[in-house]
Amino acid sequence: MNEIIWPKGYLPGMTDNFASNEIIVANLSAAEVWDYLNDTSKWELYYSNVDTIRFYNVTGPELSQSAHFRFNTFGFPFEAEVVEYEPPTNDKPARLAWHGWEEGLTEDDALHVHHAWLLEDLPEGRIRILTQETQNGKIAKKLAETKPNPLINGHQEWIDGLAKAAAKQKRS
């Protein structure tokens, strides 16, 4: 199986917080799921922890390499820039990652994250949906100590909803 590509300063185990969520689902492909991840106008249809999505340097709602966008999540206004963008192909998994930061904080208090996605077709008509996020900053340290971890729970809702939305579309 493939793994996330980490930029310098965001390697899991070397950051203030890390979350990893993964599911494997039958009867779905990376291409079918990609549309629901790539098109941000669909996020609110299956994920309750996101709203107020807007783009700055592209029209959206589809993501693209270097797209700069903003959204609210986990109670934070968040800025993000897409740093990895590879739609799925017959021989390669889909890869999507953004660098994000909390809007309006000083550098000393800022939360910086690398949020990455991998949609990988597996044998026998299955898909692996993996999302991982590393975080740095004071807020990340506090989140890492919170039990249950809100990042892990929130991201689980996201990947479960993503798979269910794609499956529902496929059935219709």
Side-chain angles (χ1 to χ4, degrees):
M1 288 190 210
N2 289 280
E3 61 184 70
I4 301 296
I5 300 167
W6 296 102
K8 185 176 180 172
Y10 290 91
L11 185 66
M14 307 298 284
T15 59
D16 295 324
N17 194 17
F18 171 66
S20 181
N21 297 77
E22 174 181 42
I23 58 174
I24 295 177
V25 180
N27 302 315
L28 277 177
S29 69
E32 291 165 331
V33 174
W34 176 255
D35 184 48
Y36 282 85
L37 180 59
N38 182 52
D39 185 344
T40 63
S41 70
K42 295 179 180 179
W43 289 3
E44 291 182 62
L45 300 175
Y46 63 85
Y47 182 45
S48 68
N49 195 22
V50 66
D51 63 45
T52 319
I53 303 165
R54 73 172 183 254
F55 286 80
Y56 295 107
N57 64 337
V58 296
T59 58
E62 291 84 16
L63 296 171
S64 59
Q65 185 67 40
S66 302
H68 181 187
F69 64 108
R70 180 200 183 281
F71 61 105
N72 292 333
T73 188
F74 292 99
F76 301 111
F78 222 70
E79 299 280 334
E81 181 179 0
V82 175
V83 294
E84 183 179 25
Y85 184 86
E86 295 181 24
T89 64
N90 288 337
D91 59 342
K92 289 186 181 177
R95 292 182 175 277
L96 176 64
W98 54 78
H99 173 77
W101 58 95
E102 189 178 357
E103 193 178 284
L105 291 181
T106 66
E107 191 58 35
D108 289 342
D109 293 327
L111 172 66
H112 287 271
V113 308
H114 183 79
H115 190 146
W117 294 84
L118 184 70
L119 306 178
E120 182 175 19
D121 287 323
L122 299 175
E124 299 185 40
R126 299 171 302 141
I127 181 176
R128 174 182 177 224
I129 303 172
L130 172 67
T131 189
Q132 295 182 327
E133 182 172 313
T134 55
Q135 301 179 330
N136 288 309
K138 288 181 183 178
I139 295 169
K141 290 176 185 175
K142 288 179 185 175
L143 284 171
E145 295 172 358
T146 304
K147 302 296 182 234
N149 187 308
L151 193 59
I152 289 174
N153 290 342
H155 287 173
Q156 191 65 44
E157 178 193 337
W158 201 342
I159 65 172
D160 289 343
L162 175 62
K164 286 177 185 172
K168 182 178 178 183
Q169 175 64 35
K170 184 176 183 173
R171 287 190 305 270
S172 61

